[in-house]
Amino acid sequence: MRAAVIGLGVEGRKASKSLLNHGWSVYASDLQTDINLNDIGMPITDINVATDNTQQISIVSDNLYVDLGSNDINQINECDAIVLSPSMWNSKFANEFKLSGKLLQDILNKHRKIYTIGVTGTNGKTTSVYMIKSILENFGKKVLVGGNAGGGFEGYYDIILEAESGDYDVILVEVCDMTLSFCDYCFNFDLVALTNMGNDHMDVHGSMENYRDELIKLFKNKNVIISEDQIYSDDFAYSANNIIKFSESSFDLKVVGKFNRLNAGLAIEVARQIGVSDDISKETLKNFEAVEGRLKVFKLYDSTIYVGKTDNSDAVKSIFDELNFYAAFIGTPRPNENHRLDILDEVVEHNPQVIVLFPGLANTVDMAIQHLDLLKYEGEVNIANNLDELISFVAEYAHEDALFIGGNGQEVIISIQKRLEKLCDACND
């Protein structure tokens, strides 16, 4: 079987890798030429760069043919299945492929016959997904987990391919708030859970009302779990088949914060809908460890250090409302993500004595400094240009009560967590 992968962003590259790993051959293309193909995982055996002005690059490897700078419609039409990136799903370009009957999610259909749970929302999705997974596995279920390739998973198409070849009781999908319509088409959700709605991706949604409307479409005729104080709950009830409310868990947890007690409450309610007793959920969650990149707590000298991915202002607010931090270390966003600078608005509102800026998703420290100037922040501002400098600042302030490290850039946050773990282990020996 041969598949055409159109678009080689993160999702397209991971889809190509998954297809190859599942025995497919792949034709992949992207109109851009500056694509890093390393994460496809195949050795490149031949590269041909066009000599005319098209700047087309053809790359050949075992079972893989890649065109950069063009899409070969003949190659696409000859393939048995077509893979469209979620980012292209609502584009005019994608419509003809949707009508072709050759989309991979239509060619393969076992994933649509397995009980499927979607977890969506602004914050807490990944933690909630892994809480649910742990509970269901302790209940004896074989669970297939996946989600958006940009969120640390192997991508939505990997779920489809793995479901076809595996034997699973439950599919658990983390649904990004920007891929709602794509996921609604791909999967037959038996249950959808909403963690919360917050101030993120407003450059895409435009407004909370538009985000609400997209969720209403996803929830149509489905069983939906929302928090007891969720905004727009009446609108969701009008669309959904059934609305089930969850509340903050009172069970003992290793993970910290009210937001994690809410994540746990969601996971418990999802489990109840599948027939899992609260005793199993309680026993599971008391041993549940924080997911890599999400909020972890370290003890160093006199300080408690909270480190985790918090890439929007609502995520920061949920932490800063509970704790007072002497210093806040904030990773910066991409150059085109000015809307995410409101993370700094929230930090300044809580007035730590020190803010340390470091490159998160990109080195936009200058942009962040300008924003702090506009906010008239009167505390101390420092710059950590690399991990070594950041750890030096942590050591300097680790005699204060509490420090926070977060913001944009999951991979950077994970590297900080790993470095701090080594440092704390060395200091405690």
Side-chain angles (χ1 to χ4, degrees):
M1 298 283 281
R2 192 165 193 246
V5 177
I6 304 171
L8 285 169
V10 177
E11 189 76 37
R13 296 197 302 274
K14 290 201 171 184
S16 298
K17 182 179 180 180
S18 294
L19 285 159
L20 292 165
N21 288 341
H22 284 86
W24 288 64
S25 62
V26 174
Y27 168 76
S29 64
D30 197 290
L31 295 180
Q32 303 298 318
T33 57
D34 58 342
I35 304 293
N36 186 342
L37 299 175
N38 290 338
D39 50 0
I40 292 180
M42 294 292 289
I44 303 303
T45 56
D46 182 53
I47 299 178
N48 175 54
V49 180
T51 56
D52 59 18
N53 292 328
T54 65
Q55 294 299 307
Q56 179 181 338
I57 303 172
S58 296
I59 301 173
V60 182
S61 184
D62 292 341
N63 298 320
L64 173 66
Y65 189 99
V66 180
D67 273 337
L68 300 180
S70 70
N71 296 309
D72 188 330
I73 194 65
N74 291 324
Q75 289 257 31
I76 294 169
N77 288 335
E78 288 172 4
C79 287
D80 301 291
I82 295 171
V83 169
L84 285 177
S85 170
S87 63
M88 301 168 60
W89 188 249
N90 293 318
S91 67
K92 291 181 181 179
F93 173 76
N95 286 336
E96 63 182 284
F97 298 114
K98 292 182 188 178
L99 298 172
S100 69
K102 293 174 68 174
L103 294 180
L104 183 70
Q105 53 267 59
D106 295 331
I107 297 295
L108 305 179
N109 61 14
K110 189 176 176 182
H111 66 287
R112 288 178 171 155
K113 299 175 181 178
I114 301 170
Y115 190 94
T116 302
I117 303 165
V119 178
T120 193
T122 303
N123 296 309
K125 296 186 296 295
T126 302
T127 297
S128 297
V129 160
Y130 279 102
M131 284 178 169
I132 297 166
K133 176 178 183 288
S134 298
I135 293 169
L136 295 186
E137 287 178 340
N138 280 348
F139 186 56
K141 298 293 185 182
K142 185 175 181 183
V143 184
L144 172 58
V145 173
N148 176 33
F153 294 96
E154 291 304 311
Y156 297 116
Y157 288 105
D158 189 70
I159 302 173
I160 295 167
L161 291 160
E162 183 56 32
E164 198 72 18
S165 60
D167 183 21
Y168 294 95
D169 301 307
V170 177
I171 296 176
L172 185 52
V173 185
E174 180 180 313
V175 181
C176 174
D177 64 308
M178 295 187 294
T179 61
L180 297 172
S181 59
F182 173 85
C183 288
D184 195 23
Y185 183 88
C186 281
F187 303 102
N188 287 338
F189 290 114
D190 296 277
L191 186 65
V192 179
L194 175 66
T195 57
N196 47 61
M197 293 176 66
N199 180 31
D200 198 7
H201 299 138
M202 287 301 127
D203 56 326
V204 175
H205 298 306
S207 68
M208 288 292 284
E209 290 73 23
N210 290 341
Y211 180 20
R212 172 205 60 193
D213 292 345
E214 290 300 309
L215 285 170
I216 287 172
K217 293 176 187 175
L218 175 68
F219 294 165
K220 186 176 182 180
N221 299 327
K222 297 182 179 71
N223 296 320
V224 177
I225 296 176
I226 62 175
S227 70
E228 58 186 5
D229 58 354
Q230 178 61 57
I231 59 171
Y232 307 124
S233 59
D234 289 342
D235 298 318
F236 296 151
Y238 181 78
S239 173
N241 175 59
N242 186 30
I243 290 286
I244 305 116
K245 300 287 185 75
F246 74 89
S247 58
E248 184 179 326
S249 172
S250 60
F251 295 165
D252 291 336
L253 303 173
K254 275 190 175 181
V255 290
V256 300
K258 177 176 180 176
F259 52 94
N260 273 323
R261 295 193 295 275
L262 285 166
N263 294 336
L266 179 148
I268 292 163
E269 192 55 58
V270 168
R272 285 175 184 152
Q273 299 306 310
I274 303 176
V276 182
S277 72
D278 282 3
D279 287 342
I280 291 175
S281 295
K282 182 177 182 179
E283 186 65 25
T284 303
L285 292 175
K286 77 175 185 181
N287 297 310
F288 181 83
E289 301 275 0
V291 179
E292 189 175 52
R294 273 52 182 183
L295 194 69
K296 291 186 177 181
V297 180
F298 299 87
K299 298 285 188 179
L300 181 64
Y301 306 136
D302 304 318
S303 188
T304 304
I305 307 171
Y306 297 79
V307 188
K309 174 175 170 281
T310 43
D311 54 7
N312 60 76
S313 58
D314 284 319
V316 171
K317 177 176 171 56
S318 67
I319 298 170
F320 276 65
D321 279 352
E322 290 194 60
L323 296 159
N324 293 317
F325 294 101
Y326 176 84
F329 294 65
I330 303 297
T332 60
R334 298 182 182 92
N336 63 337
E337 293 182 334
N338 284 335
H339 62 285
R340 291 196 170 185
L341 289 173
D342 63 6
I343 291 172
L344 291 173
D345 295 27
E346 194 63 48
V347 171
V348 169
E349 179 71 21
H350 289 80
N351 200 30
Q353 294 190 44
V354 179
I355 293 177
V356 179
L357 300 171
F358 63 92
L361 290 170
N363 192 350
T364 51
V365 169
D366 288 345
M367 186 170 78
I369 290 173
Q370 290 174 7
H371 194 74
L372 286 177
D373 288 341
L374 290 174
L375 295 173
K376 299 187 180 337
Y377 172 66
E378 296 180 352
E380 180 183 341
V381 178
N382 290 309
I383 311 301
N385 295 296
N386 52 53
L387 183 56
D388 287 339
E389 290 183 8
L390 186 146
I391 295 299
S392 294
F393 281 120
V394 170
E396 179 180 346
Y397 300 129
H399 296 290
E400 304 297 339
D401 222 15
L403 310 179
F404 171 77
I405 305 174
N408 293 277
Q410 177 171 289
E411 294 305 316
V412 174
I413 295 297
I414 290 172
S415 68
I416 294 169
Q417 288 179 338
K418 289 180 177 178
R419 184 72 171 271
L420 274 176
E421 187 173 2
K422 290 181 180 178
L423 177 61
C424 293
D425 287 345
C427 291
N428 292 330
D429 285 344

